[in-house]
Amino acid sequence: MRRAPKTPTGLRQFLDLEQQRAWIEGRAELTDADERSESVEHRFRYAARFEKLLSRPQGKEVLAILGLYGPTCIPIPRRTERFYWSVSCLPSTSDKPLTRVNASWMELFTLYADGEDVRARFILHLSDFTTDGSATPGLVDEAFLEQSVATPEDVSWFVPSGADMFGVRVRGSVSIRKFLANPRALRAIRTFNLTHMNRGRNAYQASHSYSVADHMLPG
């Protein structure tokens, strides 16, 4: 008796592996949904937090950086909004972030206040940042990291628990923008984001801020 084929999970429902690889490498522009699936009730739940974010000195820059991150770092962001990725606004966690992007059970990208400027934390694959492509912390390509930002002191890194995990901290909006524009860094961000979006539904749907996401979605 033949088994029924397994139902694809994660983004494999929308993009085959070749399309995903092509997007990671910047060889493909993906066709996204025309409309967003939105809950008005859910939007209003976090409206006050969004207004509070706008009142912060970093508010406009946070939204501008997310406006770069959304279209370039998240595949088909309209079709996958909330259910495969989400962004929270002033989440109530001990590290006091301004915004945080999540997928599955994983933090992807977080922005914090740094005086009147911002700093960012990216969670990525360690193997994308070593000199030999292995997950060996002692082989981190520090020269590349220093060249990927405006000044070397703007970047630092750490190794979280978990296989092939790597954290990059970037200080200042100028350096964050430069890091996002670096082809190798962007490829690493896309790879990590796809890894976790392919693991299934987003666990942080309830904290999604549609008002913040408005600034992350093109059009």
Side-chain angles (χ1 to χ4, degrees):
M1 182 177 178
R2 296 180 63 182
R3 294 182 179 178
K6 290 184 178 180
T7 302
T9 58
L11 295 199
R12 299 177 189 88
Q13 299 171 79
F14 316 115
L15 304 170
D16 62 34
L17 292 179
E18 178 52 37
Q19 287 175 305
Q20 293 186 29
R21 283 191 292 266
W23 178 76
I24 287 172
E25 297 295 332
R27 295 185 284 107
E29 289 199 14
L30 304 177
T31 302
D32 203 355
D34 293 327
E35 303 289 334
R36 295 167 68 185
S37 176
E38 183 179 339
S39 161
V40 175
E41 179 184 357
H42 199 92
R43 175 181 284 275
F44 280 107
R45 184 182 303 169
Y46 296 106
R49 289 195 190 189
F50 180 68
E51 292 302 319
K52 188 175 180 180
L53 175 65
L54 289 181
S55 72
R56 300 283 182 92
Q58 309 87 359
K60 288 185 179 179
E61 188 59 34
V62 165
L63 297 179
I65 289 171
L66 289 173
L68 297 174
Y69 185 92
T72 58
C73 301
I74 300 174
I76 50 174
R78 287 176 176 272
R79 182 173 295 181
T80 55
E81 181 182 6
R82 187 180 172 195
F83 299 107
Y84 291 93
W85 68 271
S86 62
V87 59
S88 54
C89 182
L90 301 175
S92 303
T93 54
S94 59
D95 55 339
K96 298 182 179 179
L98 298 173
T99 60
R100 174 169 287 142
V101 180
N102 291 91
S104 184
W105 291 91
M106 180 60 62
E107 168 192 339
L108 305 179
F109 178 57
T110 304
L111 287 169
Y112 301 90
D114 188 26
E116 294 201 353
D117 203 348
V118 293
R119 56 188 170 88
R121 181 169 69 193
F122 298 84
I123 306 299
L124 304 157
H125 289 303
L126 174 58
S127 54
D128 286 321
F129 290 90
T130 54
T131 54
D132 67 346
S134 69
T136 307
L139 295 177
V140 169
D141 192 346
E142 295 189 58
F144 163 71
L145 287 171
E146 292 177 356
Q147 293 162 8
S148 68
V149 294
T151 58
E153 57 267 27
D154 286 345
V155 68
S156 61
W157 58 272
F158 63 100
V159 180
S161 60
D164 200 14
M165 296 285 288
F166 190 60
V168 178
R169 302 186 186 97
V170 181
R171 290 188 60 190
S173 57
V174 173
S175 284
I176 295 168
R177 289 168 181 268
K178 186 173 180 182
F179 190 77
L180 286 170
N182 181 284
R184 178 177 170 186
L186 178 59
R187 190 164 57 247
I189 293 167
R190 288 180 168 186
T191 299
F192 188 84
N193 291 0
L194 265 175
T195 295
H196 290 278
M197 292 176 76
N198 274 325
R199 289 189 170 172
R201 290 274 179 143
N202 174 33
Y204 296 91
Q205 296 176 32
S207 62
H208 183 59
S209 170
Y210 282 104
S211 298
V212 174
D214 290 344
H215 296 265
M216 299 177 66
L217 298 169

